[in-house]
Amino acid sequence: MLRLYCLLFLLLNQALAVLSVDTYSRKDFPPDFIFGAATSAYQVEGAAHEDGRSSSIWDTFSHGGGEVAVDEYHKYKEDVHLMAETGLEAYRFSISWSRLIPNGRGPVNPKGLQYYNNLIDELISHGIQAHVLLYNYDHPQSLEDEYGGWLSRNIVRDFTAYADVCFREFGDRVSSWSTINEPNIFAVGGYDQGVVPPGRCSYPFGFGNCSIGNSSTEPYLAAHNMLLAHASAVRLYKNRYQSKQNGVIGITLYAFWLLPLTNSTEDETAAQRARDFFLGWFLNPLVFGDYPEIMKKNAGSRLPVLTNQDSKLVKGAFDFIGMIHYTTVYIKDNSKTLKLENRDVQADMALTIWFTQDEDDPFGIFPVEYPARPWGLQGLLEYFKEAYGNPPVYIHENGQVSRRNSSLEDTSRVEYLHAYIGSLLDSIRNGSNTRGYFVWSFLDVFELLDGSGSSYGLYFVDLKDPTLKRLPKKSAHWYSHFLKGGRVSPDGTIELEKTFDDSSSGTLVSIG
């Protein structure tokens, strides 16, 4: 049955590739569908040591790399004006826990409170919805020092209290809340591989230069506590705030579409195992109340147990599922790792990930540029629909990476966005319950893995200019034209009714 199930998905992907949309406009999407762009606090704000903000685990991990970032803390009015000129309907940003509650719990920082109130008010005054992320790899370092952050159940209490402050202070103007960003990747990257904050891993696993950690147990424990913290915050919001504030709340997962490298039974089984580990790790508890059976089997006692009480708290604790999607990858079975006495998450998955189908070059050009496989978005959304009951979905990140300081003529990014938004339109017409789409990212930001080495932005930020001037790329022109009702074509060309202003401000002239 499993083999037939995977074969049907392969056939579906081939069929969906044929159905891709060529030319479309904003008007082809449902009227209540939301288009926007996204950033996160540490990646844009800067002002790392100003107005009472404390250090986060991301500050510690990056050795202060985001101290300036792109200085949105001081330039938020300029940036919101630019968003309005571009035609954004929504802006997804995160709140810095370290800026709002510097000690992790206790007193609220008045300057931090004022900043986020000002930012939200500025968005609303320009007709832009505020979609807020509570957590993106950045709890206060003080909590990491005190009890190990996500490795302690104490963080469930502190995260819920932090969320309570956000709901109370900002919720009357926030359309959508996301609790934790890509916890599935954060758990593995931060506690197994050591490549993201807080940089924990143990030999022989991990790629980071870790001095502390346990790759066998900590990823599962951290993820478990994230799941409980998410559910606790959601229940609080629903019980105390939602009926008055009328927002929605969910969690955002990193979501490759995962396909077998070959049509062998082993690879097809491994691909489903990958879906269970990457997506089911959080989706199964949220939808069904427990972890996937294959995870419980392969991880054994290293995977914490969801008690009956935990299961009741977690099951159904979402209004939507956020999705971060960039590309499709291929899965090859590697079941021999299950024979290892000491295993991490990767070994429990018993597979290897290939970014191409070329056996001589399994990683291709990743991560310099994600392979554009827009049909994979359709396969992923179809899987959400069939396996998890078609929940409401927001695509919280999608975009193409390039090397920083590359040309403003980012034709490849335009082609990528056109293909993926067209694929999304096909999915909606096929019954997907997707409600919104956000380009990552609005600006060239401080990236997690390589700082200023790569960029995803619609707008180039000139780090050599003391004013950090923002300049529109071709993709900004394209997206603005689309948002304002213009039709766009597969070659990325658009016909502008008025030209864009290339003045030093970098702002766009309204078109149409």
Side-chain angles (χ1 to χ4, degrees), residues 108-161:
V108 174
N109 175 19
K111 291 288 188 178
L113 185 65
Q114 180 183 21
Y115 170 70
Y116 292 112
N117 270 319
N118 289 345
L119 173 59
I120 293 169
D121 287 345
E122 193 73 14
L123 290 167
I124 300 302
S125 71
H126 285 80
I128 300 170
Q129 291 185 10
H131 287 231
V132 176
L133 167 64
L134 291 174
Y135 182 85
N136 191 42
Y137 295 64
D138 60 349
H139 60 270
Q141 183 64 39
S142 59
L143 299 184
E144 187 73 13
D145 295 338
E146 180 183 345
Y147 54 66
W150 289 108
L151 298 178
S152 169
R153 194 148 175 161
N154 288 336
I155 203 167
V156 176
R157 172 202 64 207
D158 289 341
F159 181 80
T160 305

Side-chain angles (χ1 to χ4, degrees), residues 57-59 61-62 137-138 186 189-191 194-200 448:
I57 61 168
W58 201 339
D59 288 280
F61 184 82
S62 71
Y137 295 64
D138 60 349
F186 179 39
Y191 297 88
V195 294
V196 302
R200 298 176 66 93
L448 176 57

